[in-house]
Amino acid sequence: MKRKRITIRKKKTIKDYTRQKMIFFGILVLGILGVAAFAPWLTPYDPYAQDLGSALQPPNAKHLLGTDRYGRDMLSRVIMGSRTTVFSALLLVVIITIAGGITGILCGYKGGKLDSLLMRISDIFLAFPGMVFAIAVASVMRGGIMNAVVALACISWPKYARIARSQVMAIKSAPYMEAAKLSGAGAGKMVIKHIVPNIAGPVIVTAVLDIGTMMMEIAGLSFLGLGAAPPTAEWGSMMSSGRSMLQTSPWVILSPGCAIFLTVMVFNLAGDTVRDILEPRQRQRKREV
């Protein structure tokens, strides 16, 4: 009896710890989203107002993160840049999750020629080096933040399609699916009521973990001049414009760089916690290893 009580107590402690992590990182994520949503009202200065007399000032009491070559307040630009970078990454993840999820469900549920055709198309996209293909597409579309999102969406949806397809094929022959067919449920009802809820966990976990990755890729395209164009406040574009001043005025490039690092870290840790909650068997396997 004592051993049984100790085991139950241990499981409860681990579950409570995971819940506390989820609350902590959830608050941090909400804080980042809040800053991005209310950025125009949180900036201490106009992020686009130039003051050449205050150009390249190091961090001080008036400008906490210093100023850039045009005298613009770096803190204000980092806060405003969060709106562009974070919301672009979220939009991208939503697009590829929906597009890839629908494609995977169609392929896994219908099978046949449709499955073969769509999977061969996904193979074509997966055959190209991801970032190189995104750079090529963004170059053809002549840059811009929305074109960068479209370019990255073109290379990112196949992963979600394959995850959704494998999950659907695994549960398609499950007893409850057979029972639903015998009860007269149509294809639409089976997909909405039985398939989508059962494949949502792995897809959501992948989406949350991809937010940080997509954020870095959007910033990377902007750094190369294929995303947000100056003077738009966007972290990757800000790093690109300040890279020539790394030795003389490092705060110009370090401010948006640290913002990317901290934001990506928060979203990745939040994604790990979501995975621990939605996929407990994988968490158990990780502990045993």
Side-chain angles (χ1 to χ4, degrees):
M1 289 296 292
K2 286 184 180 179
R3 289 181 182 176
K4 190 174 181 182
R5 285 177 185 172
I6 291 171
T7 305
I8 293 172
R9 207 168 169 187
K10 186 178 179 182
K11 287 182 179 178
K12 186 177 178 181
T13 303
I14 293 171
K15 189 175 180 181
D16 290 342
Y17 174 66
T18 304
R19 188 183 295 113
Q20 290 171 0
K21 278 175 59 181
M22 188 68 255
I23 293 172
F24 175 71
F25 289 119
I27 292 171
L28 291 180
V29 168
L30 288 176
I32 292 171
L33 295 179
V35 170
F38 298 102
W41 297 275
L42 295 176
T43 54
Y45 299 95
D46 184 347
Y48 299 108
Q50 298 184 14
D51 181 9
L52 297 179
S54 303
L56 296 178
Q57 286 188 4
N60 53 62
K62 186 178 179 181
H63 301 284
L64 296 180
L65 297 181
T67 59
D68 65 4
R69 70 175 74 189
Y70 301 108
R72 297 174 297 195
D73 181 62
M74 286 302 300
L75 177 60
S76 300
R77 289 186 61 77
V78 167
I79 293 173
M80 184 60 73
S82 66
R83 166 172 278 201
T84 308
T85 305
V86 174
F87 284 162
S88 297
L90 291 177
L91 175 63
L92 173 58
V93 170
V94 169
I95 291 172
I96 60 179
T97 301
I98 294 175
I102 292 174
T103 303
I105 290 172
L106 284 174
C107 292
Y109 187 74
K110 291 292 185 181
K113 293 182 179 179
L114 180 64
D115 180 27
S116 299
L117 175 63
L118 292 176
M119 286 301 101
R120 296 301 74 77
I121 293 174
S122 71
D123 288 340
I124 292 172
F125 282 102
L126 291 171
F128 290 96
M131 200 60 182
V132 175
F133 185 73
I135 290 171
V137 173
S139 300
V140 170
M141 299 178 74
R142 299 186 178 181
I145 191 67
M146 291 309 300
N147 291 338
V149 170
V150 172
L152 290 171
C154 289
I155 63 166
S156 304
W157 68 269
K159 176 171 64 173
Y160 290 84
R162 290 192 171 276
I163 292 172
R165 176 179 178 269
S166 64
Q167 294 293 318
V168 171
M169 293 184 72
I171 67 174
K172 189 166 64 171
S173 58
Y176 63 85
M177 292 291 288
E178 298 295 333
K181 285 182 183 178
L182 293 174
S183 66
K189 184 178 180 181
M190 290 183 65
V191 168
I192 294 172
K193 190 174 180 180
H194 298 288
I195 292 178
V196 172
N198 282 286
I199 71 169
V203 174
I204 290 174
V205 168
T206 304
V208 176
L209 287 170
D210 261 358
I211 293 174
T213 302
M214 297 306 164
M215 206 175 296
M216 288 191 296
E217 291 185 352
I218 288 174
L221 288 178
S222 296
F223 185 86
L224 296 173
L226 299 173
T232 302
E234 196 277 335
W235 292 341
S237 177
M238 291 164 62
M239 291 184 68
S240 178
S241 62
R243 68 181 185 273
S244 61
M245 296 175 284
L246 181 59
Q247 293 183 336
T248 57
S249 306
W251 59 87
V252 177
I253 192 172
L254 291 179
S255 298
C258 290
I260 293 174
F261 170 75
L262 293 174
T263 305
V264 170
M265 182 179 66
V266 168
F267 275 103
N268 284 346
L269 292 173
D272 286 337
T273 309
V274 171
R275 180 177 57 193
D276 289 343
I277 293 173
L278 295 182
E279 297 182 0
R281 279 181 292 183
Q282 186 171 349
R283 179 184 63 197
Q284 180 66 29
R285 245 183 274 124
K286 189 167 66 174
R287 281 206 310 271
E288 288 174 356
V289 172

